[in-house]
């Protein structure tokens, strides 16, 4: 490795280890309490000390600029790359945590396989059409001792298949057929190839299917869309480095792989281009890589593909001679040509992306684990006995009562800050105000139609009897009053229906919320709410009808406002009499609280009848205000008392009776049967917690293993 690149890698390693150590120390304490409470073991003290010690060693290790590429890289970055690979094996990406990845993309026949073969020193599947039909995760690991035999194996679907250099291509084909079928289709399920061999760079790359637009025989018609979806899934995350393989024989802007990478990496800062087949099209290659028309931020590396039966060493020697001696290719800077340069560049890029991402990954794992532990802790514990079920049910009732008390009685709505329908005291006050306004409209007297006092005169005619003529008969007053009460008698009943329908909705929603983790109780709880509200509604309706009947039965009030208002209204009697007697006067009477009144038609009636009718009208008008006030106030007090009784005692009694009823099939016992949705959620959280805990410990275990090897 060149001295400056060696220093860059060493600097990244020291920086990464120091940040990683700090991230680990900050994060580990915050999880201990939650993990212990839920029965998950935490890291032992001696293990923590090993992690701290090794991280300090990694952050302080010295760099020998003249050390071999592989060993220098191994000493500092290899443990961290192993950690990332182990996180990938654990499938931590399922938790939404992206891993730093070098993703290899290229158009079909761009030479991807040749580049990867040269880096790994092994033969990969070749042939017509798509050779790579599944994402191939290639983990290359250098064996320091050249005397050791290479170790190769495949990992997929929980299996590990050992192979060797002579048979690795065949093994990949067999594994691909098992994953994607023996046709020419593709699959998103990855296949991992582990290559441990002397002289290979320590790299992990994901090789994706080559891009093709035209399906061949046996391929699905939407093969391009399928491949595009897989590629975009891997290259879209910011943690991905795109290794774009381009053939020197084509114009770079026309490459589909360039178009895709530019969609997700517009600045090109995550894209490194390797140009293959330089020996096939040397003309203009220098100008292509120098002009950088396709905006490759991490630069270009030009390589020569291995030809025929050349060994890998022979191919490298020929490659070196080509870029040294060829008239056109020799113009390209030596820092941009050859597989060794590509290997060093990828090593550096990999160290860079790990340095950038791994501390953040550790933090995300910690945050996700903490969130899942908290959610698991909030879930109802699994119930295993009737006593536990009864305790849980009583808790549901208690929480429901507390919520209903807040929203129906005290006007607190912090549980539903944005749901105005659940701000119950405000909504009930609005309903009652509307009810009062509706009743008040019945007091307005329209006298413009010539019917003023006509109803009272008719009643007087029907209630006359043998008594002194100057007395207003009480029966006439009651008859007029009863007619007015009858006209508004439906309004209080309609109010009761509206209020209790609303309360039923609120009570049901609160109960369903607090027993959401016990779906086996939903039907009985809903029935209890409906039954209780129906009973309360019937009682309220009965009470309101009784109030209406009382108002129709007799006339009584001790409110002095009645006499005051009647006296004030009777002050208009003199003006009324003058209009009746003086035919030169206008026939319009003005009385406060009335619309302008036409009284000319009353001159045709005897004076005593007119005076008695006027008196009854004023008495009924004054008394009607008392009646309406009673109907509104009594209704409000009745509803407040009913709501208090519902929350305070009726709800609990109704729910317990419903749950214990033989007709209900043993509601309490059914709580022992955890619902499939809750069980699935609990199982999912437990699996996620285990995965994240294992992931959190991966870095510690990899470091611990490296420390033992170092000792």
């Amino acid at each position: 490795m060149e001295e400056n690149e060696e220093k860059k890698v060493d600097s990244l390693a020291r920086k990464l280890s120091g940040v990683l150590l700090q991230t680990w120390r900050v994060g580990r304490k915050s999880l201990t309490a939650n993990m212990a409470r839920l029965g998950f073991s935490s890291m032992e003290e001696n293990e923590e000390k090993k992690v701290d010690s090794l991280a300090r060693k990694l952050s302080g290790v010295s760099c020998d600029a003249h050390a071999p590429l592989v060993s220098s890289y191994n000493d500092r970055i290899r443990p961290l790359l192993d950690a990332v690979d182990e996180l990938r094996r654990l499938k931590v990406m399922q938790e939404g945590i992206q891993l730093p990845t070098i993703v290899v993309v290229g158009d079909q026949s761009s030479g991807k396989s040749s580049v990867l073969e040269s880096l790994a020193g092994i033969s990969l599947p070749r042939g017509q059409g798509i050779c790579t039909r599944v994402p191939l995760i290639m983990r290359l690991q250098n064996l320091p001792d050249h005397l050791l035999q290479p170790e190769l194996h495949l990992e997929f679907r929980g299996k590990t298949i050992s192979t060797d250099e002579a048979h690795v291509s065949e093994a990949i084909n067999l594994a691909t057929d098992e994953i994607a079928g023996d046709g020419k289709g593709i699959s998103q399920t990855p296949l991992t190839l582990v290559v441990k061999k002397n002289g290979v760079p320590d790299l992990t790359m994901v090789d994706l299917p080559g891009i093709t637009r035209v399906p061949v025989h046996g391929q699905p018609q939407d093969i391009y869309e399928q491949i595009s979806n897989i590629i975009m899934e891997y290259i879209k995350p910011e943690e991905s480095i795109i290794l774009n393989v381009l053939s020197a024989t084509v114009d770079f802007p026309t490459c589909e792989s360039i178009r895709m990478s530019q969609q997700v990496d517009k600045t090109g800062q995550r894209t490194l281009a390797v140009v293959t087949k330089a020996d096939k099209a040397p003309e203009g290659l220098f100008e292509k890589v120098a002009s950088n028309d396709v905006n490759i931020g991490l630069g270009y590396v030009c390589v020569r593909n291995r030809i025929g039966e050349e060994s890998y060493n022979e191919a490298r020697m020929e490659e070196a001679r080509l870029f040294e001696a060829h008239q056109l290719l020799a113009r390209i800077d030596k820092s941009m040509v050859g597989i060794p340069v590509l290997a060093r560049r990828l090593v550096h890029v990999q160290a860079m992306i790990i340095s950038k991402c791994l501390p953040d990954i550790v933090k995300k794992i910690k945050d996700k684990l903490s969130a899942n532990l908290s959610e698991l802790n909030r879930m109802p514990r699994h119930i295993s006995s009737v006593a536990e079920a009864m305790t849980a049910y009583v808790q549901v009732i208690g929480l429901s009562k507390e919520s209903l008390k807040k929203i129906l009685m005290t006007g607190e709505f912090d549980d539903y800050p944005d749901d105005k329908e659940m701000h119950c005291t405000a909504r009930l006050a609005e309903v009652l105000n509307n009810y009062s306004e509706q009743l008040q409209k019945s007091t307005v007297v329209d006298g413009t139609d010539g019917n003023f006092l006509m109803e009272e005169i008719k009643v007087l005619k029907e209630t006359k009897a043998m008594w002194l003529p100057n007395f207003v008969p009480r029966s006439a007053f009651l008859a007029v009053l009863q007619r007015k009460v009858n006209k508004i008698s439906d309004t209080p009943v309609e109010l009761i229906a509206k209020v209790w329908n609303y309360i039923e909705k609120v009570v049901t929603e609160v109960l369903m919320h607090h027993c959401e983790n016990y779906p086996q109780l939903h039907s009985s709880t809903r029935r209890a709410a409906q039954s209780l509200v129906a009973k309360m509604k019937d009682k309220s309706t009965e009470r309101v009808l009784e109030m209406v009947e009382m108002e129709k039965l007799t006339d009584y009030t001790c409110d002095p406002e009645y006499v005051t208002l009647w006296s004030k209204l009777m002050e208009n009697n003199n003006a009324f009499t003058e209009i009746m007697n003086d035919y030169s006067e206008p026939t319009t009477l003005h009385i406060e609280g009335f619309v302008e009144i036409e009284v000319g038609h009353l001159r045709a009636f005897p004076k005593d009848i007119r005076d008695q009718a006027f008196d009854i009208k004023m008495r009924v008008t004054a008394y009607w205000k008392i009646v309406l006030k009673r109907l509104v106030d009594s209704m409000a007090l009745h509803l407040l008392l009913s709501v208090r009784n519902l929350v305070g005692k009726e709800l609990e009694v109704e729910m317990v009776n419903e749950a214990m009823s033989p007709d209900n099939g043993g509601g309490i016992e059914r709580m022992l049967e955890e619902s499939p949705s809750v069980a699935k959620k609990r199982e999912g959280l437990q699996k996620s917690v285990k995965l994240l805990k294992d992931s959190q410990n991966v870095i510690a275990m990899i470091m611990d293993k490296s420390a033992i090897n170092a000792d």
Side-chain angles (χ1 to χ4, degrees):
M1 179 182 287
E2 296 179 5
E3 184 175 354
N4 63 335
E5 291 186 349
E6 172 73 18
K7 289 181 179 179
K8 288 180 181 178
V9 172
D10 183 70
S11 174
L12 286 171
R14 288 197 301 271
K15 178 182 177 183
L16 170 59
S17 299
V19 175
L20 192 59
L21 173 63
Q22 180 64 22
T23 303
W24 178 265
R25 285 173 171 170
V26 171
R28 68 187 180 203
K29 294 181 180 179
S30 63
L31 295 176
T32 304
N34 271 341
M35 292 169 65
R37 182 163 60 250
L38 292 173
F40 292 96
S41 61
S42 58
M43 183 177 287
E44 299 293 337
E45 183 179 358
N46 62 332
E47 292 177 335
E48 294 182 1
K49 289 180 178 178
K50 289 179 182 178
V51 174
D52 291 348
S53 174
L54 184 59
R56 284 193 296 270
K57 287 180 181 179
L58 283 171
S59 61
V61 68
S62 63
C63 175
D64 180 2
H66 301 288
L69 164 65
V70 175
S71 62
S72 173
Y73 182 68
N74 243 12
D75 289 344
R76 289 175 279 284
I77 299 296
R78 182 73 243 176
L80 304 179
L81 179 57
D82 286 341
V84 173
D85 288 339
E86 184 64 14
L87 292 176
R88 184 175 285 108
R89 187 192 67 79
L90 288 171
K91 299 181 180 179
V92 73
M93 295 172 74
Q94 293 179 350
E95 299 295 326
I97 299 171
Q98 298 296 332
L99 298 177
T101 305
I102 297 176
V103 183
V104 185
V105 299
D107 292 6
Q108 188 174 322
S109 302
S110 62
K112 275 194 312 99
S113 296
S114 296
V115 172
L116 297 175
E117 285 180 341
S118 298
L119 290 170
I122 60 172
S123 296
L124 296 175
R126 296 292 190 95
Q128 296 296 320
I130 300 175
C131 301
T132 304
R133 298 194 292 125
V134 299
L136 179 63
I137 302 173
M138 297 184 63
R139 293 177 54 192
L140 309 183
Q141 182 174 346
N142 177 65
L143 291 180
D145 191 345
H146 68 279
L147 297 177
L148 293 175
Q149 289 294 318
E151 300 176 19
L152 286 78
H153 67 264
L154 297 172
E155 299 173 357
F156 64 100
R157 291 183 174 175
K159 298 187 295 185
T160 300
I161 307 296
S162 297
T163 184
D164 54 36
E165 291 182 274
H167 301 93
V168 62
S169 179
E170 179 183 357
I172 291 175
N173 282 332
L174 291 174
T176 299
D177 288 344
E178 185 173 338
I179 295 172
D182 56 5
K184 296 185 179 180
I186 63 174
S187 172
Q188 293 183 331
T189 303
L191 168 64
T192 299
L193 169 63
V194 179
V195 178
K196 298 181 180 180
K197 184 180 179 181
N198 178 254
V200 301
D202 287 274
L203 288 171
T204 296
M205 301 172 289
V206 179
D207 181 27
L208 299 179
I211 305 168
T212 178
R213 278 195 171 275
V214 182
V216 299
H217 180 68
Q219 290 180 341
Q221 291 299 309
D222 63 342
I223 187 67
Y224 171 76
E225 287 75 16
Q226 291 187 33
I227 294 175
S228 297
N229 291 338
I230 294 176
I231 291 175
M232 296 303 287
E233 179 183 346
Y234 276 87
I235 68 175
K236 189 174 183 179
E238 290 293 326
E239 295 81 2
S240 295
I241 294 295
I242 306 169
L243 180 59
N244 208 321
V245 181
L246 308 171
S247 173
T249 61
V250 301
D251 291 332
F252 296 165
T254 65
C255 294
E256 191 67 23
S257 61
I258 287 292
R259 188 188 67 81
M260 288 187 181
S261 63
Q262 287 178 339
Q263 286 182 12
V264 298
D265 182 28
K266 298 184 184 303
T267 63
Q269 295 184 1
R270 294 194 288 117
T271 303
L272 170 65
V274 53
V275 183
T276 65
K277 306 178 184 180
D279 54 329
K280 303 294 184 183
E283 295 81 6
L285 182 56
F286 172 77
E287 288 75 15
K288 283 183 179 181
V289 298
S291 62
N292 191 21
D293 292 336
V294 291
N295 198 23
I296 302 297
L298 295 177
Y300 296 81
V301 178
C302 302
V303 300
R304 170 190 177 273
N305 296 53
R306 187 168 63 97
I307 300 174
E309 298 300 323
E310 287 179 342
S311 69
Y312 291 103
N313 287 333
E314 291 172 344
R316 296 289 66 76
M317 292 173 63
E318 289 297 325
E319 181 182 59
R321 278 195 292 268
L322 174 69
F323 287 107
E324 184 70 32
H326 194 283
Q327 181 180 1
L328 297 177
L329 298 179
R331 298 174 60 195
I332 304 175
D333 191 277
K334 296 302 178 285
S335 65
M336 297 172 60
V337 297
I339 289 295
V341 170
L342 176 62
R344 290 196 297 269
R345 188 77 63 84
L346 289 173
V347 164
H348 174 68
V349 168
Q350 184 173 244
M352 175 187 67
I353 193 67
I354 290 177
S355 174
K356 177 182 177 183
C357 297
L358 195 53
D360 189 49
I361 289 171
V362 173
K363 182 179 182 300
K364 287 179 179 178
I365 291 174
K366 181 210 56 156
D367 293 344
K368 182 73 172 179
L369 177 58
S370 179
N372 284 359
L373 286 169
S374 298
E375 187 172 0
L376 192 60
N377 195 38
R378 288 194 300 268
M379 289 190 69
R381 54 192 176 88
H382 185 64
I383 297 174
S384 58
S385 68
V386 174
E388 289 181 356
M390 181 59 78
T391 300
Y393 193 59
V394 170
Q395 185 179 24
V396 168
I397 295 175
L399 292 172
S400 300
K401 288 174 63 177
E402 184 63 27
S403 293
L404 290 171
K405 180 180 178 181
K406 290 167 67 175
I407 62 177
L408 281 173
M409 297 174 63
T410 62
E412 302 172 57
F413 47 82
D414 48 293
D415 291 342
Y416 304 91
D418 300 321
D419 188 353
K420 291 187 177 181
E421 278 299 301
M422 299 299 286
H423 301 175
C424 301
T425 52
R427 300 292 80 77
L428 290 175
E430 288 175 356
V431 171
L432 198 65
N433 288 339
N434 292 336
Y435 166 68
S436 176
E437 291 174 4
Q438 188 176 356
L439 290 180
Q440 292 299 330
K441 290 178 181 179
S442 65
T443 63
V444 178
V445 178
D446 184 4
T448 60
D449 56 359
N451 289 323
F452 182 65
L453 299 185
M454 293 307 298
E455 181 181 9
E456 287 75 9
I457 290 173
K458 290 178 182 178
V459 170
L460 284 170
K461 287 182 177 180
E462 297 302 319
T463 57
K464 62 184 178 181
M466 293 182 293
W467 50 50
L468 293 175
N470 60 340
F471 283 90
V472 176
R474 185 165 179 264
S475 57
F477 177 86
L478 289 177
V480 174
L481 176 64
Q482 288 170 0
R483 291 183 181 184
K484 289 183 70 69
V485 172
N486 284 333
K487 289 180 180 179
I488 57 95
S489 61
D490 291 338
T491 304
V493 177
E494 292 170 357
L495 171 71
I496 287 297
K498 185 175 183 179
V499 167
W500 283 110
N501 288 342
Y502 171 71
I503 292 176
E504 179 182 340
K505 178 183 175 182
V506 169
V507 171
T508 301
E509 184 166 337
V510 169
L511 290 175
M512 291 298 101
H513 169 70
H514 286 293
C515 68
E516 63 179 349
N517 292 319
Y518 306 103
Q520 60 272 45
L521 294 179
H522 285 185
S523 59
S524 62
T525 302
R526 194 180 297 275
R527 282 197 304 273
Q530 293 172 345
S531 175
L532 174 60
V533 171
K535 293 176 183 177
M536 303 293 285
K537 181 179 179 181
D538 289 343
K539 288 182 180 179
S540 293
T541 302
E542 184 178 346
R543 169 65 177 163
V544 165
L545 291 175
E546 187 178 67
M547 290 164 53
V548 171
E549 286 301 314
M550 286 190 295
E551 296 298 345
K552 289 162 60 177
L553 176 65
T554 187
D555 52 331
Y556 172 76
T557 181
C558 63
D559 190 337
E561 183 182 355
Y562 164 69
V563 175
T564 301
L565 182 56
W566 172 74
S567 299
K568 186 176 181 180
L569 291 171
M570 288 301 294
E571 290 175 358
N572 297 283
N573 188 46
N574 291 336
F576 174 66
T577 301
E578 289 178 5
I579 293 174
M580 292 297 100
N581 295 333
D582 188 350
Y583 283 73
S584 65
E585 289 287 330
T587 58
T588 302
L589 179 65
H590 299 278
I591 301 178
E592 183 178 352
F594 288 71
V595 177
E596 189 175 79
I597 304 168
E598 171 60 40
V599 296
H601 62 283
L602 296 174
R603 288 171 174 168
F605 294 93
K607 180 179 182 305
D608 59 334
I609 295 295
R610 290 197 310 259
D611 291 344
Q612 288 181 351
F614 188 86
D615 190 6
I616 291 176
K617 187 70 171 182
M618 298 305 107
R619 289 179 185 274
V620 169
T621 300
Y623 185 66
W624 189 241
K625 291 186 176 292
I626 305 299
V627 171
L628 296 185
K629 184 186 296 186
R630 276 201 297 251
L631 287 176
V632 174
D633 292 348
S634 298
M635 180 73 75
L637 293 174
H638 167 73
L639 289 175
L640 288 173
L641 178 62
S642 299
V643 168
R644 191 191 71 173
N645 289 340
L646 181 147
V647 175
K649 56 184 179 181
E650 301 292 347
L651 178 65
E652 184 173 352
V653 172
E654 190 70 30
M655 287 186 66
V656 171
N657 289 341
E658 181 67 30
M660 301 298 290
S661 171
D663 299 333
N664 191 32
I668 297 298
E669 287 79 0
R670 288 213 312 277
M671 291 181 70
L672 302 177
E673 307 168 4
E674 192 168 51
S675 73
S677 60
V678 174
K680 183 177 180 181
K681 181 179 180 181
R682 189 191 303 278
E683 182 183 3
L685 284 172
Q686 289 173 339
K687 286 182 178 179
S688 176
V689 166
K690 183 180 184 305
L691 185 153
L692 292 167
K693 185 174 180 296
D694 291 344
S695 300
Q696 191 185 49
N697 293 335
V698 158
I699 298 171
M701 290 187 290
I702 294 294
M703 287 182 172
D704 189 46
K705 181 179 177 181
S706 299
I708 294 174
N709 292 337
D711 294 339

